[in-house]
Amino acid sequence: MQTIKEVAKMAGVGLGTVSRVLNDSGYVKESTRQKVLAAVEALHYVPNDVARNLRHQSTRFVGLIIPTIWHPFFSKLAYFIEQELYLYDYKMLLCNSEQALDKELRYFEMLQKSQVAGIIMISYNDFPEPQSDLPIVTIDRIISPRFLHVSADNRHGGELAAEALVQRGCRKLLFLGSASPVPTEVDKRREGFVRKARELGVSCTVYEETVLLKQELSVIQNFLAQDIPFDGALTSSDLFAAALIKALGDKGQTCPDDFQVIGFDGIQDNPYFKPILATIRQPVEKMARRSVELLLDKINNQAAGEDTIIDIEFFAGETVKPIV
Amino acid sequence: MQTIKEVAKMAGVGLGTVSRVLNDSGYVKESTRQKVLAAVEALHYVPNDVARNLRHQSTRFVGLIIPTIWHPFFSKLAYFIEQELYLYDYKMLLCNSEQALDKELRYFEMLQKSQVAGIIMISYNDFPEPQSDLPIVTIDRIISPRFLHVSADNRHGGELAAEALVQRGCRKLLFLGSASPVPTEVDKRREGFVRKARELGVSCTVYEETVLLKQELSVIQNFLAQDIPFDGALTSSDLFAAALIKALGDKGQTCPDDFQVIGFDGIQDNPYFKPILATIRQPVEKMARRSVELLLDKINNQAAGEDTIIDIEFFAGETVKPIV
DNA sequence: AATTTTATTGAAATTGTTTCCAAATGAATT
DNA sequence: AATTCATTTGGAAACAATTTCAATAAAATT
């Protein structure tokens, strides 16, 4: 491999001079600059960031720990995070934790050893306080006051859903979905929904189970076995909404005529597949960009911006009726 | 930050001894081992991989360059690649190229500077031969004989689709989708399809435009404007299939009664959304694992395995009729 | 012409680790 | 008691860059 040494020798200059040319720092005569650049070109020299990082005692790596990239919500988030990091010349290390705490911890350690500049993390586990003071942003869940945090306004999302359903004639509301063993933003969706339902004077049932991703159907089956009546539902995610509609459809009930459903997240981004879910859309792009902004602020200034709650919106789709 | 030096001082031993303990290499007395480990614990020492990498002249980073993680095919692929890399203690740097050559090149350079051990790449551009001999695996397209390569058996996929449609009564076949400016595996899908159609004695039209991702609808509109008759279509991707069904649905034609459609890729992985596309399923997981296997072989042994074509299967879904 | 300032350069020190080498210790063998 | 051999250890060199420092050269000012 070619190093700065070979470049220096070929150009007939000292090591420092090559470095100065490469980094545009300090004085260097134009003619020597040209000699050095010519040598760089001729030798196909590529700077070694490992050495540079060691000397600088820092890297431009950022770790992203998410449950799984194989889920449209997280993949969209990761897309925008990477895009934003790229603008600032940071590189993204992707870590799929499978929602398992031990994997999250192992990844965390791995990232620390790699001297990442910071970490963006989505964890729904009881993540322990780390020793280090590595800059960390959590999305969708407050883990520690020492971490920065970005979320959508989930409580408001719950309220919007309750309002939308009641406006459309529903009187027996249902919140259906999965709960985490620890407090999360999903709780706020439920809280906002239940509170608004009470405020509007309609009944509201909550059915939750603690399950991992992709377990939607089994939760739905358990719920249906209980024969709880409802005419409008908010689910904890879009996939639950779709699964509910599917399960009831198999029993001959149609949406939105027999029941109305609103999902949460907004993962459908093309209009080709049915049903087009009514949903509370998370502002994924804004969340991603804000997370990066907060993280880089912290990395560069130590004085970081504030935790951020980003507004959310209701999208009517086809699984609710028109307003009466 | 704590270094091996502080650990050595605290444990009252030399630098080399600490290193030997940490790496389980060479001789070290049990009692000193304990002293060192105690110091590591007490100081919350975390090894610095940057320094280690510099000394070893290698890293355990692998770059993944894909058009966009915000697309289910690539996100699924990335998921399995990361999972497999994790088993071997490699970390994945994710790069979204947006299918733009300049971004691919900039990422390539970035990864080189970071001294990645290898790169897995999906590019549909005219990617130039690099100078370096960095281990590289390309998926879904042969770019250079110097790169290793993994694909699905796309030609066979095209054949399977033609057979399936003809078996189901189609006589006027259509291949519809996007083409790249360079030869890709999509060409093989078309070739297999057209060849099998001819073999079976049915007519076959090809309609292709060169577009980026997410442009499906405009291609479909242009195609429909030409009023080309067909009764069975294979599209270059699932999204094209869904868009075609949607567009014709808006015109009052229903699938599979008025026309049958088979997509390509197999991106639907839950049964909640309609239509459930008939499709040629790419063996994404196998492709991912094989790519990693090939890459690591090359990294570790230089003597690498062979380019791999992985078999593909037809999934009937709901957008084709039962066999007549 | 002497002095100051600015421009230009190479050499040396530094970053945190691994690994080689020499020295020292201890045990086993002659 | 002398020699061999296996353990155990600390120190130095190396990895590829950056940055400080001092030295020199050139230009500008007195």
Side-chain angles (χ1 to χ4, degrees):
Chain A
M1 211 199 38
Q2 305 295 353
T3 74
I4 221 176
K5 226 164 165 178
E6 281 79 48
V7 175
K9 197 194 289 177
M10 182 171 209
V13 300
L15 300 185
T17 305
V18 177
S19 176
R20 257 165 275 146
V21 171
L22 261 32
N23 297 291
D24 258 331
S25 64
Y27 291 115
V28 52
K29 219 200 300 183
E30 181 57 24
S31 62
T32 45
R33 221 180 80 84
Q34 293 305 331
K35 275 193 296 182
V36 170
L37 291 178
V40 165
E41 191 68 21
L43 295 171
H44 304 299
Y45 168 76
V46 176
N48 184 330
D49 267 352
V50 173
R52 202 195 290 243
N53 290 341
L54 176 61
R55 174 63 226 230
H56 277 150
Q57 292 280 74
S58 71
T59 69
R60 291 181 98 78
F61 292 125
V62 165
L64 177 66
I65 304 179
I66 55 177
T68 166
I69 192 73
W70 182 15
H71 182 292
F73 177 70
F74 299 120
S75 85
K76 189 170 171 184
L77 198 64
Y79 172 78
F80 286 114
I81 288 174
E82 195 278 337
Q83 194 181 71
E84 190 74 8
L85 285 172
Y86 177 79
L87 295 179
Y88 299 96
D89 222 31
Y90 279 80
K91 294 162 271 297
M92 187 177 92
L93 286 160
L94 180 66
C95 308
N96 293 300
S97 70
E98 320 272 358
Q99 278 193 81
L101 179 59
D102 59 331
K103 266 192 128 180
E104 288 172 356
L105 290 171
R106 224 189 111 187
Y107 272 122
F108 192 88
E109 198 192 329
M110 235 165 145
L111 294 173
Q112 269 195 301
K113 289 204 260 186
S114 294
Q115 312 292 111
V116 294
I119 293 179
I120 298 178
M121 180 164 65
I122 304 183
S123 166
Y124 305 115
N125 287 306
D126 212 339
F127 200 88
E129 292 273 330
Q131 296 295 333
S132 73
D133 55 354
L134 196 60
I136 294 173
V137 173
T138 60
I139 299 181
D140 215 30
R141 170 143 178 268
I142 294 177
I143 291 186
S144 150
R146 281 175 46 205
F147 300 161
L148 294 163
H149 171 252
V150 174
S151 279
D153 192 344
N154 286 288
R155 175 168 284 114
H156 188 221
E159 293 170 358
L160 283 177
E163 269 174 21
L165 289 173
V166 171
Q167 271 185 325
R168 287 165 174 79
C170 298
R171 292 297 172 264
K172 288 188 293 256
L173 300 193
L174 165 71
F175 183 89
L176 174 71
S178 80
S180 280
V182 292
T184 69
E185 289 290 317
V186 172
D187 300 329
K188 300 197 179 142
R189 299 174 189 176
R190 178 183 14 82
E191 286 164 20
F193 187 71
V194 171
R195 180 207 290 177
K196 183 59 84 175
R198 188 170 312 137
E199 205 176 303
L200 296 174
V202 299
S203 80
C204 184
T205 312
V206 171
Y207 184 87
E208 288 181 314
E209 286 185 38
T210 300
V211 294
L212 295 178
L213 292 171
K214 302 208 177 180
Q215 300 297 113
E216 294 85 14
L217 261 189
S218 80
V219 176
I220 304 275
Q221 301 304 356
N222 295 343
F223 165 72
L224 291 181
Q226 311 219 3
D227 246 326
I228 299 171
F230 74 97
D231 55 9
L234 171 66
T235 57
S236 62
S237 73
D238 284 337
L239 286 180
F240 268 107
L244 178 62
I245 291 163
K246 170 83 164 73
L248 282 171
D250 290 349
K251 294 191 162 197
Q253 292 191 260
T254 64
C255 181
D257 298 330
D258 301 328
F259 62 100
Q260 302 182 51
V261 177
I262 298 176
F264 214 112
D265 285 344
I267 59 169
Q268 286 179 301
D269 44 40
N270 63 53
Y272 307 147
F273 296 100
K274 304 280 176 169
I276 296 179
L277 295 171
T279 193
I280 307 295
R281 272 196 189 142
Q282 296 219 50
V284 177
E285 180 172 353
K286 280 186 192 162
M287 289 166 70
R289 297 204 194 282
R290 179 61 179 155
S291 301
V292 171
E293 190 185 8
L294 272 185
L295 187 71
L296 297 189
D297 266 16
K298 178 82 169 185
I299 290 170
N300 297 319
N301 313 330
Q302 281 305 317
E306 294 196 340
D307 285 6
T308 308
I309 306 292
I310 303 177
D311 208 18
I312 218 165
E313 64 176 26
F314 170 66
F315 171 78
E318 303 176 341
T319 58
V320 293
K321 296 180 190 171
I323 298 181
V324 288
Chain B
M1 209 198 44
Q2 305 294 353
T3 75
I4 223 174
K5 227 161 160 180
E6 281 79 50
V7 175
K9 196 196 288 177
M10 182 171 209
V13 299
L15 299 184
T17 306
V18 176
S19 176
R20 257 166 275 146
V21 171
L22 260 33
N23 297 290
D24 260 330
S25 64
Y27 289 116
V28 52
K29 218 201 298 182
E30 180 57 25
S31 62
T32 46
R33 220 179 81 86
Q34 292 305 331
K35 275 193 294 182
V36 170
L37 290 179
V40 165
E41 191 68 23
L43 295 171
H44 303 299
Y45 168 75
V46 176
N48 184 330
D49 267 351
V50 173
R52 202 195 290 245
N53 291 340
L54 176 59
R55 175 62 226 228
H56 277 150
Q57 293 280 74
S58 71
T59 69
R60 291 181 96 81
F61 292 125
V62 165
L64 176 67
I65 303 178
I66 54 177
T68 166
I69 193 76
W70 183 15
H71 182 293
F73 178 68
F74 299 121
S75 86
K76 188 170 170 183
L77 198 64
Y79 171 78
F80 287 114
I81 288 174
E82 196 277 338
Q83 195 179 72
E84 189 75 8
L85 285 172
Y86 177 79
L87 295 179
Y88 299 96
D89 221 31
Y90 279 80
K91 294 161 271 298
M92 187 177 90
L93 286 160
L94 179 67
C95 309
N96 294 299
S97 70
E98 319 274 357
Q99 278 193 81
L101 179 59
D102 60 329
K103 267 193 128 180
E104 288 171 355
L105 290 170
R106 224 189 112 190
Y107 272 121
F108 192 88
E109 199 192 328
M110 234 165 144
L111 293 173
Q112 268 195 302
K113 288 205 260 188
S114 294
Q115 311 292 112
V116 294
I119 293 179
I120 298 177
M121 179 164 65
I122 304 183
S123 165
Y124 305 116
N125 287 306
D126 212 340
F127 199 88
E129 292 275 328
Q131 296 295 334
S132 74
D133 55 352
L134 196 60
I136 294 173
V137 173
T138 60
I139 299 180
D140 216 29
R141 171 145 175 265
I142 294 177
I143 291 185
S144 151
R146 279 174 48 204
F147 300 161
L148 295 163
H149 172 252
V150 173
S151 278
D153 192 343
N154 287 288
R155 174 166 284 114
H156 188 222
E159 292 170 357
L160 283 177
E163 269 175 21
L165 289 173
V166 171
Q167 272 185 327
R168 287 166 174 79
C170 298
R171 291 296 173 267
K172 288 190 291 262
L173 299 193
L174 166 70
F175 182 89
L176 175 71
S178 81
S180 281
V182 292
T184 69
E185 290 290 316
V186 172
D187 300 331
K188 301 200 179 141
R189 298 174 189 176
R190 176 182 19 79
E191 287 164 19
F193 187 71
V194 171
R195 179 205 292 176
K196 181 60 83 176
R198 187 171 313 137
E199 206 176 302
L200 296 174
V202 299
S203 79
C204 184
T205 311
V206 171
Y207 184 87
E208 289 181 314
E209 285 185 39
T210 300
V211 294
L212 295 178
L213 292 171
K214 303 210 176 180
Q215 300 296 111
E216 294 85 14
L217 262 188
S218 80
V219 175
I220 304 276
Q221 302 302 354
N222 294 344
F223 165 71
L224 291 181
Q226 311 219 2
D227 247 327
I228 299 171
F230 74 97
D231 55 10
L234 171 67
T235 57
S236 62
S237 73
D238 284 337
L239 286 180
F240 268 107
L244 178 62
I245 291 164
K246 171 82 164 70
L248 283 172
D250 290 349
K251 295 192 163 199
Q253 293 192 260
T254 63
C255 180
D257 298 330
D258 300 328
F259 62 100
Q260 302 182 51
V261 177
I262 298 176
F264 213 111
D265 284 345
I267 58 169
Q268 286 179 301
D269 43 42
N270 63 53
Y272 307 146
F273 296 99
K274 304 277 172 168
I276 295 179
L277 295 171
T279 193
I280 307 294
R281 273 195 187 142
Q282 296 219 51
V284 178
E285 179 171 353
K286 279 186 194 162
M287 289 166 71
R289 298 203 193 282
R290 179 61 180 156
S291 300
V292 171
E293 190 185 10
L294 271 186
L295 187 71
L296 296 189
D297 265 15
K298 178 82 168 187
I299 291 171
N300 297 320
N301 313 331
Q302 279 307 318
E306 293 196 342
D307 284 5
T308 308
I309 306 291
I310 302 177
D311 208 18
I312 218 165
E313 62 176 26
F314 170 67
F315 171 78
E318 302 176 342
T319 59
V320 292
K321 296 180 190 171
I323 297 181
V324 287

